[in-house]
Amino acid sequence: MSHRSKEFAEVLEETKSLFRDVMSVPDNFEIMFMHGGGTGQFAAIPLNLKHTFADYIVTGAWSGKAAQEAEKFIHVKRASIKSDAAYLYYCANETVHGIEFHEPPHSIHGVPLVADISSNFLSRPFDFRHHGVVFGGTQKNLGAAGITIAMVRKDLIGKQLPITPAVFSYKEMQDNNSLYNTPAVYGIYITNLVLKWIRDQGGVEAIYETNLKANMIYNIIDSSNGFYHCAIDKRYRSNMNVCFRIGGESGDDAKEAEFLKGAAERHMISLKGHRINGTDVFSRSVGGIRASLYNAVTLSDTEVLATWMNEFLAKYS
């Protein structure tokens, strides 16, 4: 099917309309379906919002990578909030470290916020106030990999650097209705179906209530007398990615390997967390285990994990 066909044009417009309704995207934001994943936006944002410098709140692996990429195009100030910055960047949910902003940071000088919501896209209601750019890949909560949805405040479009590649230019994407080149047409169709599913579940508010299923896992961790350990401040624990160690704060590799083996026998895979070692606060190993509880993970799925955690705890109690 041609991406220029009448049939796909209808799918594209319906998807955009569904997205605006389900996520409550304000009318002064353009919705664009782009390439390159969230990582591509790490470059696209400083290229499109040209300025002397930008502020970055670095809370983990992904915001750190975003800052590193931006440094190729703009001067980056980490954990700085200045009145003359181009924007204030934050990652709404750090998948590696299990850290989530449950409310956006405060833009004290009215500087536009830029939010990476790739891993908690439509997992809860989102407040667009004070934001200039909100973006995310669809692969976690909105369908298949290959699409990035960028929501850009219209008054910020058209400020791109001359070197900005056309496929990353917000102006080109706006002018061509996301059809500057061939988009991921099948991926957009899948996102269309997922948006209808979210709508039919009762909308993002209902999805958020279901996503509080993460508390089922956190409650087991907190009541285990240190057998399970989560290093993240309770105020910033992620509902999407629950990271923890087994056998105490430093973890016990043998126990974690045994836990993962038992989990696999119970048809639970991909629970092994990222083990990042280093000297800075964000490079320590925060989770030998990582349970990713995205929108598609049901309450009953989560109960399977909770049951296994309780059984494993009882074995060593």
Side-chain angles (χ1 to χ4, degrees), residues 41-57:
Q41 293 300 304
F42 296 170
I45 288 159
L47 284 167
N48 280 278
L49 306 183
K50 64 178 183 179
H51 199 69
T52 306
F53 75 95
D55 291 332
Y56 277 68
I57 301 174

Side-chain angles (χ1 to χ4, degrees), residues 44-50 156-166 168-172 175:
I45 288 159
L47 284 167
N48 280 278
L49 306 183
K50 64 178 183 179
L156 297 176
I157 298 174
K159 303 178 185 296
Q160 69 278 358
L161 291 169
I163 63 169
T164 306
F168 282 161
S169 167
Y170 297 150
K171 185 71 167 70
E172 292 286 1
D175 290 348

Side-chain angles (χ1 to χ4, degrees), residues 288-302:
I289 309 297
R290 181 180 64 164
S292 292
L293 306 176
Y294 297 120
N295 287 357
V297 177
T298 65
L299 186 62
S300 60
D301 294 333
T302 311

Side-chain angles (χ1 to χ4, degrees), residues 216 263 266-268 299-309:
M216 185 189 311
R266 291 160 176 78
H267 309 292
M268 291 180 284
L299 186 62
S300 60
D301 294 333
T302 311
E303 288 171 346
V304 174
L305 175 59
T307 298
W308 173 228
M309 289 177 69

Side-chain angles (χ1 to χ4, degrees), residues 79-98:
S80 166
I81 303 177
K82 302 292 185 181
S83 61
D84 54 344
Y87 55 86
L88 174 61
Y89 185 104
Y90 72 102
C91 179
N93 185 72
E94 295 277 7
T95 58
V96 174
H97 296 86

Side-chain angles (χ1 to χ4, degrees), residues 100 102 122-125 204-220 234 237-242 293-295 297-300 302-303 306:
E100 184 171 11
H102 295 287
L122 284 172
S123 66
R124 57 180 173 81
V204 70
E205 292 82 5
I207 293 292
Y208 172 69
E209 290 300 319
T210 301
N211 283 333
L212 294 177
K213 60 186 181 277
N215 290 332
M216 185 189 311
I217 306 303
Y218 285 123
N219 288 339
I220 295 172
K234 291 182 180 181
R237 286 177 173 178
S238 170
N239 285 331
M240 297 288 96
N241 309 100
V242 180
L293 306 176
Y294 297 120
N295 287 357
V297 177
T298 65
L299 186 62
S300 60
T302 311
E303 288 171 346

Side-chain angles (χ1 to χ4, degrees), residues 4-16:
R4 304 286 182 185
S5 68
K6 174 180 178 291
E7 291 81 4
F8 179 68
E10 291 174 353
V11 170
L12 181 63
E13 289 309 311
E14 182 185 50
T15 306
K16 187 181 292 187

